[in-house]
Amino acid sequence: MISKEEFTKLHSQIATYIKRTPVMRSRLLNGLAETEVYFKCENFQRMGAFKMRGATAAILALSAEERAKGVVTHSSGNFAQAVSLSAKSLGIPAYIVMPSSAPIVKKDAVKTYGGQITECEPNIKAREAAAAKIQKETGATFLHPSNDVNVIYGQGTAAKEFIEDFPELDVIITPVGGGGLLAGTALAVDFYAEKCKTIGAEPFEVDDAYRSLESGKIEFNKTINTIADGLKTHLGDKNFPIIQNKVSEIIRVEEGEIITAMKLIWERMKIVVEPSAAVAFAAVLREKEKFHGKRVGIIISGGNVDLSNLPF
């Protein structure tokens, strides 16, 4: 496990390649939530999501020889873009396996960032097989979107900045899909804000993380019927122990609550957030009594949304 000193050093190492994102507030949303809410806007991060942090941290952790051979990942969304842009910033090749069903806008973004796309059938076995083939042919290092320790540490730097700017926070809430952001946030809170709690938020439709905490083992999604497309993945063996030990609870929300929260943020804060990023605020609105009188920090995970397919 990383130490506080190493975590601080890692943040300084990636600082050149990421943005220190702003924290925003809304008097109207505070009124609706009946508490003080602070939004850490990772939708303003480079490539539009927090995943730029983890991708950069993971690549910087590689040796010069490893970097020269490049990196490979499989992703249909934000991590594909993050790895592509991080690799471009560091001058190394990025091989991206994407399912044939991935939106054209996301494929175009990966190409813009310099990623070399290999398309595959839209299932996890095909994605893993394609990535393994590229690894064998190129010697590239595989980067997992959420179950890689350096990715986890990198994602946690968003919470570190949050705490530095607002040390009085009582709780920080993040959405949870693969678990990298939630685990990294929990580590940062543990290091820099001992009196603060870390809470996860996820849809009822993909509540594997909630069930994993209850059962004590990694559970899998029974359905993926959610608008929050970034949260359809499950926890991994690297991040689950951190979540078990350092996350207070996970709050589940309905699909309609996600849409309401997303619409409120768009309308009242005038910022673009993707459905997955609205889940944490939906949790606060659902559990108002739990957060009454608290200073609540929410990490808005990203703003990469298909404008032709909005839910409202």
Side-chain angles (χ1 to χ4, degrees), residues 5-249:
E5 291 72 24
E6 290 168 332
F7 197 100
T8 301
K9 182 180 179 182
L10 179 146
H11 188 207
S12 67
Q13 289 172 334
I14 70 171
T16 303
Y17 305 99
I18 63 171
K19 288 182 180 177
R20 188 180 183 100
T21 51
V23 175
M24 297 179 66
R25 302 184 66 194
S26 163
R27 188 178 302 171
L28 187 138
L29 296 189
N30 283 350
L32 290 174
E34 299 175 9
T35 192
E36 293 183 52
V37 186
Y38 303 76
F39 295 89
K40 174 72 167 167
C41 295
E42 286 295 292
N43 51 320
F44 294 142
Q45 186 55 259
R46 293 184 69 197
M47 56 67 54
F50 73 93
K51 293 197 173 185
M52 185 69 187
R53 297 174 180 271
T56 303
I59 292 174
L60 286 176
L62 300 176
S63 67
E65 183 180 356
E66 288 171 326
R67 282 193 223 172
K69 294 178 180 178
V71 290
V72 58
T73 194
H74 54 74
S75 167
S76 60
N78 286 340
F79 198 67
Q81 296 174 58
V83 169
S84 299
L85 182 54
S86 296
K88 182 178 182 181
S89 298
L90 291 160
I92 70 171
Y95 306 99
I96 312 296
V97 176
M98 301 188 78
S100 55
S101 58
I104 291 176
V105 64
K106 292 187 176 181
K107 293 177 184 176
D108 288 345
V110 169
K111 290 175 184 175
T112 299
Y113 295 143
Q116 301 176 45
I117 297 175
T118 297
E119 290 197 18
C120 69
E121 292 298 312
N123 62 72
I124 191 64
K125 285 187 177 180
R127 286 161 61 151
E128 290 175 347
K133 184 172 183 287
I134 292 170
Q135 266 189 290
K136 186 175 180 180
E137 291 173 350
T138 64
T141 299
F142 177 73
L143 301 182
H144 193 282
S146 57
N147 199 41
D148 175 295
V149 291
N150 292 301
V151 170
I152 292 167
Y153 302 153
Q155 315 303 31
T157 61
K160 178 178 178 290
E161 292 175 2
F162 209 168
I163 293 161
E164 287 170 350
D165 291 342
F166 294 90
E168 69 275 16
L169 291 175
D170 296 304
V171 59
I172 295 180
I173 309 174
T174 85
V176 53
L181 177 61
L182 182 59
T185 298
L187 282 174
V189 167
D190 197 45
F191 286 145
Y192 305 103
E194 293 179 3
K195 294 181 181 179
C196 185
K197 291 183 177 179
T198 304
I199 292 177
E202 69 180 348
F204 275 97
E205 291 288 338
V206 285
D207 68 347
D208 58 297
Y210 175 89
R211 289 182 287 109
S212 296
L213 280 189
E214 283 205 325
S215 70
K217 60 186 177 68
I218 296 173
E219 302 287 351
F220 299 90
N221 291 315
K222 297 174 181 177
T223 73
I224 53 169
N225 187 29
T226 180
I227 188 176
D229 61 304
L231 308 184
K232 295 179 180 180
T233 51
H234 56 81
L235 304 180
D237 61 350
K238 304 288 195 306
N239 57 53
F240 181 49
I242 299 171
I243 292 169
Q244 271 187 305
N245 293 330
K246 301 185 185 300
V247 172
S248 297
E249 65 177 305

